[in-house]
Amino acid sequence: MKEEKPSIQNTVTDDIYYPSAEVVAQANVKDPETVRKEAANDIQAYWAKRAQELEWYKKWDTVLDESNKPFYQWFVGGKTNIVLNALDRHVKTWRRNKLALIWESEKGELRTMSYHALNREVCKFANVLKSMGISKGDRVTIYMPRIPETLIAMLATAKIGAVHSVVYGGFSVEALHGRIEDSESKVIITADGGNMNGKKIELKKIVDEALQRTGAPENVVVVKHLGIDVNMEAGRDYWYHELMALPLTRNGLRCETEVMDAEDPLFILYTSGTTGKPKAILHTHGGYQVGVYATLKDVFDLKEEDRWWCTADPGWITGHSYIVYAPLIAGATSFMYEGAPTFPYPDRWWTMIEKYGITVFYSTPTAVRGLMRFGEAWPNRHDLSSLRLLGSVGEPINPEAWRWFYKNIGKEKCPIMDTWWQTETGMFMMAPMPASPLKPGSATKPYPGIEADVVNEAGKSVAPGEEGFLVLKKPWPAMMRTIYKDPERYESTYWSKFPGMYFAGDSARKDKDGYFWIIGRVDDVIKVSGYRLGTAELESAFITHPAVAEAAVIGLPHELKGMAIHAYLILKANHEPNEALVEDLRKHIAHEMGPIAKPEKIEFVKSLPKTRSGKIMRRVLKARAQGMSEGDISTLEE
Ligand code: PRX
């Protein structure tokens, strides 16, 4: 192995790691290159074949309808429901007795659920939702800690044809309020609170505050998880366990799964974009189920006997696709953990890999860098020999972190699947498979059926090694269908920069072997510890503070978090810049947005670089902060 200077940068390396004969022998896909070629020859035939591995109430008439680009439709005419594939078909087989979920709380409590048990709870809760008047197409906001009821709530919503909008439990009052209001949810499902890093996060309290700012939804369902005192408003708020104990239907534990059109909405998920409010990315039942299932099965090579652990939160797309839906559709056993990786010690994750015999472990570069800091003695205290595959997502993984993960967690026998994808893509777009040769720091090549490229401003492919914009040139089944309530924004954000191509918002390089190297976002999205935050939403949170007149936020490289938030603030006339104010502003952002949005650095300034039309030139702020050339500033007004 080559010696390399430690670096956060995702520098291109020529080191290649080949899979062992043993890995190739047991891989679901033995020869990824051949499958890629076959799929490229006939994309529709490839996806139709994968769709046939699932159950449908009625088969589709058309695999892909391209008549109204970019509003592509998949498996048109097909009737299905993702829950038909995630639960119903398994409970008819021996898998009813297989564990669907193993869950450990931060305090160490263990709960397990077979497919039968999970299905029973989902049916019961689906009946609860129906009894509250929720039906097909209604929106349901889910704001939860990482507990089994989060999955139950999502699946129950999907089962009755309603649309879930999960808001990450780490978000706070203003972020939650905006998302409830925009989705016009009829009901909110939450918990009294959750455990995180030894602290109690009081979610119901945050819900109460958010609801004071918005037209209240009709009902709030509260899971008792911590057992803390909460305010329950009569006629609006109900305890989950009390509702679940009611005899709701004559069928009791049964609930028919709603027959959906393949193109009916399954969920919306808010994510940050370049301008304005977060946008609600809309995914549908039919294509999404095919995409997430096929990619999980091929890339993470899932086998019946595997124990799969994706460390994400169900509140992000990674959790939707690869904690909830894909593993269940694949009939896998998943592990989920409530709390922080370092609680009470930095070996918490390694302890649980050993304890539960995890075989496939999917995490993030930030987590790897964070745990790497504590040294290899922590993982070395544990027997991690059950592992056979590792994974990474959310941001570029720097080769140094990749190698540490490979050596100290995978013990040089577990290939690392670096998966590049987005909330919008729904499923992996770029990823190796276990039989692929790997280059540390590269998400390797597009998944079969995906056509990716790196282009210049004019939309032309750039030469190998040159930096450019990452685009996708063909539609795929799990792609977003639109931005909820805003189809124009869908078209203009993703399909107008390069006509006919999906613009991902990332810059990348393709090397001479066709391997892709993701560099980072080219828009105003900041990836903090892999979490996606928008400058516009952060800036509006800053100016709700009484001392702030104007705010500009940028992301700058950070050793652990990948990127960190730097805020430039202009204060109102009667406010003095001082340490106490900085602390107060940090608290304000944590309260409005959530702890992940806490700025790394706050600087008070007298003016901000703006264009003549008043747009903040964040590019200039970034260049100044990094001591670089400010580039073309001819439009600068400041
Ligand atoms: O910048 C890319 C980065 O995360 C963005 C998508 O963020 P989000 O919608 O929150 O989804 C994250 C989980 C799928 C991308 O535009 N990103 C994601 N995966 C990778 C990555 N950057 C580099 N390498 C990856 N493997």
Side-chain angles (χ1 to χ4, degrees):
M1 200 186 293
K2 272 189 223 152
E3 269 301 308
E4 195 177 278
K5 241 177 92 201
S7 159
I8 180 82
Q9 296 304 326
N10 186 16
T11 39
V12 178
T13 67
D14 277 328
D15 286 10
I16 301 188
Y17 288 64
Y18 292 94
S20 66
E22 198 189 339
V23 166
V24 178
Q26 66 165 356
N28 288 344
V29 179
K30 306 242 178 320
D31 180 4
E33 282 306 318
T34 305
V35 180
R36 270 193 195 101
K37 273 191 206 120
E38 278 170 16
N41 281 339
D42 191 344
I43 288 180
Q44 295 194 28
Y46 175 76
W47 286 115
K49 193 172 92 195
R50 301 315 300 262
Q52 272 154 13
E53 293 171 31
L54 302 183
E55 256 183 49
W56 299 76
Y57 295 117
K58 175 184 167 284
K59 210 185 143 188
W60 56 90
D61 307 313
T62 313
V63 177
L64 170 64
D65 178 350
E66 300 187 271
S67 59
N68 184 23
K69 291 175 187 173
F71 298 92
Y72 296 92
Q73 299 202 319
W74 285 86
F75 306 112
V76 183
K79 298 273 183 200
T80 189
N81 184 313
I82 200 163
V83 175
L84 167 70
N85 283 299
L87 293 174
D88 300 358
R89 69 174 180 143
H90 299 314
V91 295
K92 288 183 286 190
T93 70
W94 65 271
R95 277 206 205 91
R96 69 199 298 274
N97 291 325
K98 181 175 174 176
L99 288 186
L101 184 67
I102 303 169
W103 173 83
E104 192 173 297
S105 74
E106 196 177 73
K107 290 183 174 152
E109 297 129 321
L110 165 70
R111 275 170 76 187
T112 57
M113 277 188 163
S114 64
Y115 274 86
H116 173 79
L118 180 60
N119 184 55
R120 180 188 64 218
E121 299 306 298
V122 168
C123 286
K124 266 165 60 180
F125 194 57
N127 284 328
V128 167
L129 291 175
K130 278 186 176 176
S131 74
M132 291 181 143
I134 305 298
S135 61
K136 189 169 169 177
D138 288 340
R139 273 83 53 218
V140 171
T141 292
I142 299 174
Y143 180 64
M144 293 280 261
R146 221 146 41 213
I147 56 176
E149 284 76 10
T150 311
L151 274 70
I152 295 168
M154 290 167 74
L155 291 159
T157 305
K159 187 177 174 79
I160 63 170
V163 178
H164 56 69
S165 165
V166 184
V167 179
Y168 171 55
F171 274 134
S172 198
V173 182
E174 184 52 30
L176 176 63
H177 155 235
R179 286 157 176 79
I180 293 172
E181 199 167 66
D182 187 74
S183 65
E184 299 167 273
S185 290
K186 275 197 178 167
V187 57
I188 298 178
I189 302 159
T190 188
D192 51 357
N195 299 298
M196 190 48 73
N197 214 5
K199 292 193 209 80
K200 290 182 170 36
I201 313 295
E202 298 187 41
L203 296 176
K204 176 61 167 60
K205 217 168 157 180
I206 297 171
V207 170
D208 289 338
E209 232 187 288
L211 292 188
Q212 279 166 13
R213 298 184 190 182
T214 185
E218 289 155 26
N219 293 118
V220 181
V221 178
V222 189
V223 176
K224 188 175 256 180
H225 175 50
L226 295 180
I228 54 174
D229 273 344
V230 295
N231 156 57
M232 295 292 279
E233 206 175 293
R236 186 194 72 181
D237 303 351
Y238 296 92
W239 286 109
Y240 174 91
H241 61 273
E242 288 178 2
L243 294 171
M244 290 288 268
L246 294 175
L248 287 160
T249 63
R250 271 200 305 142
N251 283 336
L253 306 182
R254 282 163 195 258
C255 175
E256 288 301 320
T257 302
E258 188 78 26
V259 177
M260 306 295 282
D261 282 334
E263 282 293 314
D264 276 336
L266 166 63
F267 65 83
I268 53 176
L269 183 57
Y270 286 85
T271 192
S272 316
T274 302
T275 53
K277 290 187 305 184
K279 47 199 177 183
I281 305 300
L282 186 135
H283 285 284
T284 57
H285 278 262
Y288 177 79
Q289 66 179 359
V290 176
V292 296
Y293 157 78
T295 46
L296 181 67
K297 201 159 170 213
D298 297 352
V299 174
F300 283 106
D301 200 40
L302 278 198
K303 304 281 196 298
E304 210 60 82
E305 58 276 22
D306 271 318
R307 284 196 165 177
W308 160 253
W309 182 7
C310 163
T311 65
D313 189 281
W316 301 95
I317 191 67
T318 309
H320 280 56
S321 298
Y322 299 106
I323 293 179
V324 184
Y325 291 113
L328 291 174
I329 295 171
T333 298
S334 280
F335 174 69
M336 184 164 84
Y337 164 59
E338 178 188 22
T342 48
F343 187 84
Y345 301 110
D347 63 344
R348 180 63 183 268
W349 278 5
W350 321 134
T351 308
M352 293 185 296
I353 288 177
E354 181 175 24
K355 180 171 171 191
Y356 298 110
I358 304 301
T359 56
V360 187
F361 179 68
Y362 183 35
S363 194
T364 67
T366 288
V368 172
R369 288 193 293 264
L371 293 166
M372 190 171 131
R373 220 172 24 145
F374 295 101
E376 41 269 25
W378 290 101
N380 286 347
R381 289 167 56 184
H382 298 278
D383 175 3
L384 304 180
S385 60
S386 58
L387 289 172
R388 66 180 190 87
L389 270 180
L390 301 174
S392 171
V393 63
E395 37 173 336
I397 181 160
N398 46 312
E400 192 200 2
W402 194 101
R403 293 203 176 94
W404 188 87
F405 198 28
Y406 186 77
K407 176 162 179 259
N408 297 293
I409 308 307
K411 311 294 177 193
E412 300 185 329
K413 71 175 176 67
C414 305
I416 300 176
M417 303 297 106
D418 180 355
T419 61
W420 176 84
W421 59 296
Q422 308 178 300
T423 307
E424 293 88 339
T425 70
M427 61 182 231
F428 307 151
M429 290 288 99
M430 228 175 273
M433 293 188 212
S436 310
L438 304 173
K439 298 187 187 186
S442 165
T444 71
K445 294 182 179 181
Y447 180 79
I450 305 302
E451 198 186 318
D453 199 3
V454 180
V455 300
N456 60 18
E457 274 290 348
K460 295 267 171 302
S461 305
V462 300
E466 251 177 61
E467 187 176 333
F469 302 103
L470 186 58
V471 294
L472 301 166
K473 292 182 161 173
K474 291 270 157 61
W476 61 97
M479 65 198 297
M480 70 186 291
R481 295 302 191 265
T482 189
I483 293 175
Y484 177 62
K485 300 200 290 196
D486 203 348
E488 290 84 30
R489 192 172 170 198
Y490 166 67
E491 240 179 314
S492 65
T493 309
Y494 302 104
W495 299 94
S496 69
K497 187 168 169 73
F498 305 111
M501 300 182 221
Y502 171 88
F503 169 54
D506 279 348
S507 63
R509 281 191 198 95
K510 196 162 120 173
D511 71 16
K512 57 183 189 328
D513 302 324
Y515 277 55
F516 285 78
W517 299 78
I518 312 296
I519 298 162
R521 300 289 308 191
V522 288
D523 54 10
D524 290 325
V525 169
I526 310 177
K527 279 264 158 175
V528 182
S529 304
Y531 297 122
R532 181 164 161 178
L533 297 168
T535 47
E537 200 183 11
L538 289 164
E539 286 161 3
S540 53
F542 269 110
I543 53 181
T544 59
H545 189 279
V548 180
E550 276 190 72
V553 167
I554 58 167
L556 290 178
H558 184 277
E559 204 182 332
L560 281 182
K561 302 177 189 170
M563 294 296 244
I565 296 168
H566 288 236
Y568 297 84
L569 308 177
I570 301 180
L571 291 179
K572 287 185 182 157
N574 49 348
H575 292 272
E576 282 306 309
N578 56 45
E579 266 312 304
L581 180 58
V582 169
E583 221 10 73
D584 195 48
L585 281 161
R586 287 168 57 81
K587 273 204 197 115
H588 173 76
I589 291 297
H591 180 262
E592 293 295 303
M593 287 290 299
I596 46 165
K598 266 193 188 174
E600 183 74 16
K601 199 169 162 209
I602 293 179
E603 221 177 284
F604 299 107
V605 292
K606 291 269 176 272
S607 67
L608 289 168
K610 283 186 192 162
T611 60
R612 281 177 202 118
S613 59
K615 233 180 120 215
I616 296 169
M617 293 178 85
R618 298 191 188 84
R619 172 175 66 77
V620 173
L621 284 173
K622 244 187 207 174
R624 281 182 193 165
Q626 294 177 291
M628 294 186 320
S629 145
E630 290 178 13
D632 176 13
I633 48 168
S634 53
T635 55
L636 189 66
E637 178 70 10
E638 182 191 33

